[in-house]
Amino acid sequence: MKEYFPNIKKIKYEGANSKNPLAFHYYDENKVVAGKKMKDHLRFAMAWWHNLCAQGTDMFGTDTMDKSFGQKIGTMEHAKAKVDAGFEFMQKMGIHYFCFHDADLIPETNDINVNYKRLDEISDYILKKMKQTGIKCLWGTANMFSNPKFFAGAGSTSSADVYAFAAAKVKKALDITVKLGGRGYVFWGGREGYEHLLNTDMQLELDNIARLMKMAVKYGRKIGFKGDFYIEPKPKEPMKHQYDFDASTAINFLRHYGLDKDFKLNIEANHATLAGHTFEHELRVSRLNNMLGSIDANQGDPILGWDTDEFPYDVYTATMAMYEVLKSKGLTGGFNFDAKNRRGSYTHEDMFYAYILGMDTYALGLINADKLIKDGRIEKMIKEKYASFNTGIGKKIVSDKTSLEELSKYACKMKDAKLPKSNHQELMQSIVNQIIHSK
Ligand code: XUL
Ligand code: CO
């Protein structure tokens, strides 16, 4: 069997003091944190598209990386070499899951019948590898944004024929996801949005997206898919305005169309910041609505401001994210590194450095979030902040036992109210720093 990364051995945990760049410094997969092994909390996944397909092209320049894996790109031999290289990569990294778009697995042609056959062939090949290695599928999805026919959307397209092609792609991507035992199925509506309201029938577009999702649920359940469907919110890019703007918008959409029993959200860090939120805000909104399903682990760059899909290195944000995950009692999905090497980090070794960075960052996030919860000071301060609702008129308010008339009488009797308790924001930030940096 050909080795694609001959210079790299299995990446092992060596601890924080190791200077070995090809070792984990914090991610120790069998270490128990908050009652579970790290690998069970974190369920890391490799994103097929960024890791095995993307070669560094950006808006201004062409490839810097070589992902040919010894084959001619655009052939089924190359598709199979990507499977071999991908499984070798995951085994060496100790990554137990992967995520894919249909178009990542095969070179697509203009005939959907050929694409279907190719997907059958490649999924047989992947399944064999999965059985040999124990590696599993986290989620699958259909790419309904790259092909020019989807310029006006997939579920939201103005063409009924294109809509049928979108549906046909979803059907096959679901078939393959179920065949590979995927835990989830993602809808990311990259082109489900509009460039201008003047030429848009928003009502029809929203209704048709929901129709596509309803058909997917019906078909998925029929063929035995027991996992979660996910919407992955993103406010813009490539469209100016995307319908799945953020967690709140997506939850409202799912409830409005009665899809909330079958769907949860796949929250991506860089999409959260594009929407003008923090990552932890989007996770909190999802958690409170019982909708936190899976995470696309990456991060953006505030200076650039677009969807840069960087590997996560911000430990503070990872800590806040893992706090939400622990409070949510885990995810039904996992942590997919929807992240790519920078264009200038073009060697095969860089692929490993990037995943080590991401996995170590989330391991630190997990360790810190557990410490934060066990320390208890932050939660105690929050309880104290809202203590006025535990007794007297406050208790009446939260038990729905009062009225505008009674509250008005109460206020008139007091004449004026004192300021609420201090928010102590700086004190809390200082406590978090102390907890994060204490041994
Ligand atoms: C694009 C993005 C997608 C989805 C899957 O911003 O995040 O790769 O994760 O289609
Ligand atoms: Co994503």
Side-chain angles (χ1 to χ4, degrees):
M1 177 100 227
K2 179 172 174 186
E3 212 181 346
Y4 291 87
F5 310 103
N7 302 330
I8 312 243
K9 298 197 186 60
K10 182 149 174 50
I11 309 297
K12 295 203 187 98
Y13 169 72
E14 291 188 5
N17 294 326
S18 165
K19 297 262 178 0
N20 179 1
L22 288 165
F24 293 118
H25 302 99
Y26 303 99
Y27 180 64
D28 183 5
E29 67 168 12
N30 290 315
K31 184 176 165 175
V32 174
V33 180
K36 268 200 304 198
K37 289 182 180 168
M38 275 192 172
K39 66 173 175 196
D40 297 328
H41 277 290
L42 291 167
R43 236 181 260 129
F44 288 128
M46 178 192 76
W48 212 271
W49 51 104
H50 283 316
N51 209 41
L52 303 174
C53 309
Q55 300 194 99
T57 289
D58 71 9
M59 300 281 269
F60 302 96
T62 52
D63 296 344
T64 56
M65 304 170 192
D66 180 7
K67 304 269 174 80
S68 61
F69 303 116
Q71 297 292 344
K72 189 168 180 310
I73 292 181
T75 62
M76 280 304 279
E77 287 69 36
H78 177 240
K80 285 185 185 158
K82 284 198 294 185
V83 177
D84 295 338
F87 275 81
E88 184 187 324
F89 179 85
M90 288 187 275
Q91 279 189 295
K92 288 187 167 169
M93 282 305 313
I95 287 191
H96 305 295
Y97 292 86
F98 62 88
C99 300
F100 70 91
H101 299 84
D102 50 357
D104 307 333
L105 302 183
I106 53 149
E108 288 188 321
T109 70
N110 288 335
D111 182 347
I112 193 163
N113 299 288
V114 176
N115 300 342
Y116 272 16
K117 279 209 191 84
R118 288 183 173 188
L119 283 168
D120 289 338
E121 187 186 338
I122 205 75
S123 53
D124 283 344
Y125 194 70
I126 293 174
L127 199 55
K128 227 185 268 166
K129 287 269 175 188
M130 290 171 71
K131 286 191 179 136
Q132 281 163 13
T133 59
I135 288 170
K136 301 186 185 87
C137 172
L138 189 67
W139 52 256
T141 187
N143 177 326
M144 304 193 290
F145 42 90
S146 295
N147 191 291
K149 66 170 147 306
F150 294 120
F151 82 82
S156 62
T157 180
S158 50
S159 156
D161 283 352
V162 172
Y163 190 95
F165 268 87
K169 270 183 145 267
V170 171
K171 178 187 175 290
K172 192 65 179 174
L174 265 167
D175 286 337
I176 303 299
T177 303
V178 171
K179 176 172 170 182
L180 301 181
R183 294 174 75 97
Y185 184 87
V186 164
F187 280 90
W188 169 62
R191 298 205 189 263
E192 311 290 36
Y194 62 83
E195 297 296 339
H196 210 293
L197 263 186
L198 266 181
N199 55 19
T200 302
D201 184 342
M202 191 192 265
Q203 188 66 63
L204 178 70
E205 294 199 359
L206 286 166
D207 289 349
N208 278 353
I209 294 170
R211 286 187 179 105
L212 183 60
M213 289 180 177
K214 279 184 193 167
M215 287 189 271
V217 169
K218 196 168 166 201
Y219 178 72
R221 298 305 179 216
K222 193 166 96 186
I223 61 168
F225 177 58
K226 302 222 161 44
D228 283 322
F229 289 88
Y230 301 122
I231 282 186
E232 183 179 322
K234 184 177 181 183
K236 54 189 165 193
E237 259 188 66
M239 298 305 256
K240 183 170 83 174
H241 183 103
Q242 280 166 205
Y243 291 128
D244 306 324
F245 193 92
D246 62 0
S248 281
T249 315
I251 291 167
N252 180 56
F253 171 89
L254 291 171
R255 290 207 178 123
H256 177 74
Y257 288 101
L259 286 158
D260 50 315
K261 301 281 170 296
D262 294 281
F263 273 78
K264 288 191 165 26
L265 301 181
N266 179 38
I267 297 296
E268 176 164 324
N270 205 163
H271 295 180
T273 48
L274 269 180
H277 302 305
T278 61
F279 182 29
E280 53 269 34
H281 166 93
E282 287 292 85
L283 296 173
R284 176 78 57 98
V285 170
S286 308
R287 164 164 83 82
L288 295 182
N289 285 283
N290 227 352
M291 282 282 180
L292 180 54
S294 204
I295 283 177
D296 267 14
N298 64 9
Q299 77 175 69
D301 184 320
I303 292 173
L304 293 172
W306 64 80
D307 193 16
T308 56
D309 283 347
E310 293 181 36
F311 276 85
Y313 61 85
D314 176 356
V315 175
Y316 192 91
T317 298
T319 301
M320 295 306 148
M322 288 312 299
Y323 177 86
E324 297 303 327
V325 172
L326 288 180
K327 285 279 167 191
S328 190
K329 308 256 176 294
L331 304 172
T332 54
F335 296 78
N336 166 48
F337 285 112
D338 194 353
K340 59 188 177 211
N341 279 106
R342 297 305 85 196
R343 204 162 169 258
S345 308
Y346 58 82
T347 70
H348 281 176
E349 282 76 12
D350 284 311
M351 294 162 67
F352 289 84
Y353 298 145
Y355 272 77
I356 291 171
L357 170 67
M359 290 162 82
D360 269 343
T361 300
Y362 268 81
L364 278 168
L366 170 63
I367 293 166
N368 289 339
D370 180 45
K371 286 204 267 180
L372 209 65
I373 292 170
K374 290 209 172 105
D375 178 273
R377 271 178 287 173
I378 297 290
E379 286 185 17
K380 190 160 167 260
M381 287 172 83
I382 294 173
K383 280 212 179 96
E384 280 163 9
K385 178 176 169 183
Y386 297 96
S388 69
F389 289 97
N390 295 340
T391 53
I393 196 73
K395 196 168 178 188
K396 276 186 140 184
I397 293 170
V398 294
S399 44
D400 300 314
K401 287 202 175 111
T402 186
S403 63
L404 275 190
E405 294 94 311
E406 186 184 15
L407 290 173
S408 160
K409 230 192 248 169
Y410 180 88
C412 289
K413 199 167 153 211
M414 282 205 307
K415 289 196 186 138
D416 199 2
K418 285 193 230 125
L419 284 179
K421 283 186 181 167
S422 166
N423 275 342
H424 298 311
Q425 182 175 318
E426 298 77 6
L427 171 59
M428 290 172 110
Q429 287 167 325
S430 170
I431 291 171
V432 170
N433 275 354
Q434 186 203 352
I435 293 168
I436 288 181
H437 294 289
S438 66
K439 289 271 174 229

